[in-house]
Amino acid sequence: MAEDAIKTGTKLLDVANEIEQETENAGAALAFPANLSINDVAAHYSPAPDEETAFTENDLVKVDFGVHVNGCIIDQAFTVDLTGENNKLVEASEKALENAVATMKPGALNGEIGRIIQETIEGYGFKPIENLSGHRMEPFLLHAGENIPNTAGGDYELKEGDVFAVEPFATTGAGRVEERMTNKTQIYSLVNPKPVRLPQSRALLNWAVEERQSLPFSKRAVYPSVINSKPSLELALHDLLRQKILRDYPPLVEINNGLVSQAETTAIIESNGAKQLT
Ligand code: MN
Ligand code: MN
């Protein structure tokens, strides 16, 4: 549905809302807000509640979405190339994902899977993004500790029953991302709940404790339904960030502004290999 919805002229906000509404219609809940990250933005871009931005023919779009049922999470992503000129870059991350999943089984080392991702992407003439990685998940926990890196190195042995998101990123840039465009931050999660004094903060905190636990949420999820004034929302977010009750997720941008593609799936490790849950 998302793949069909992403077209030149379509608003990001409409696509994000559609992904999130469809998730709920299907009887699942959001594991995190829909991310729609364009070109050199690798991840963590989600439209603001009133954002008017539309996709253009110059966009390479990463769609990253997460759903959960009773806390069990699927984290999945793919790339839509509206330019029509980045087939190889898209193929590099897709092929890296395919090769990685084929290698995942009990006893396989995460660093070996990272090496396969790196070699596949480099084989296409691109670089993997070294400071983004796949991650083990547990119910209601998106990042449960161990990683699947996008480069060689790592000695965690995969175990039967582990659930991993695997997410190769390929770039024409240097192969690193950093937090930028912090004025565009839309995604937050609860890290350390404790009593607060400001009424606005209390309203937001109570909602997050009840509805999200540690799972990320967007401003769209709380405005206007939980806090119906933007200044109040900004005040509450600022207050909760300052007290380190919330953390924020600014957009992650490739350091040399290289184009970025991503492919991601969620798999459970079974005795004979990885079974994709997507
Ligand atoms: Mn993801
Ligand atoms: Mn992920």
Side-chain angles (χ1 to χ4, degrees), residues 184-232:
K184 301 279 190 188
T185 301
Q186 291 289 323
I187 306 173
Y188 303 86
S189 72
L190 200 54
V191 284
N192 179 28
K194 60 184 181 192
V196 294
R197 294 177 58 188
L198 276 180
Q200 298 92 328
S201 300
R202 205 178 306 145
L204 183 54
L205 178 60
N206 288 344
W207 175 86
V209 167
E210 184 72 23
E211 298 291 331
R212 301 306 296 159
Q213 305 189 29
S214 73
L215 295 175
F217 61 90
S218 65
K219 285 186 189 174
R220 286 181 286 108
V222 290
Y223 175 85
S225 57
V226 179
I227 295 184
N228 66 6
S229 115
K230 280 186 190 163
S232 294

Side-chain angles (χ1 to χ4, degrees), residues 123-140:
Y124 280 86
F126 304 113
K127 286 192 173 157
I129 293 189
E130 64 186 24
N131 61 338
L132 290 174
S133 64
H135 43 100
R136 198 169 66 75
M137 299 189 287
E138 288 179 1
F140 292 105

Side-chain angles (χ1 to χ4, degrees), residues 228-239:
N228 66 6
S229 115
K230 280 186 190 163
S232 294
L233 175 60
E234 293 303 327
L235 181 65
L237 288 168
H238 184 265
D239 181 44

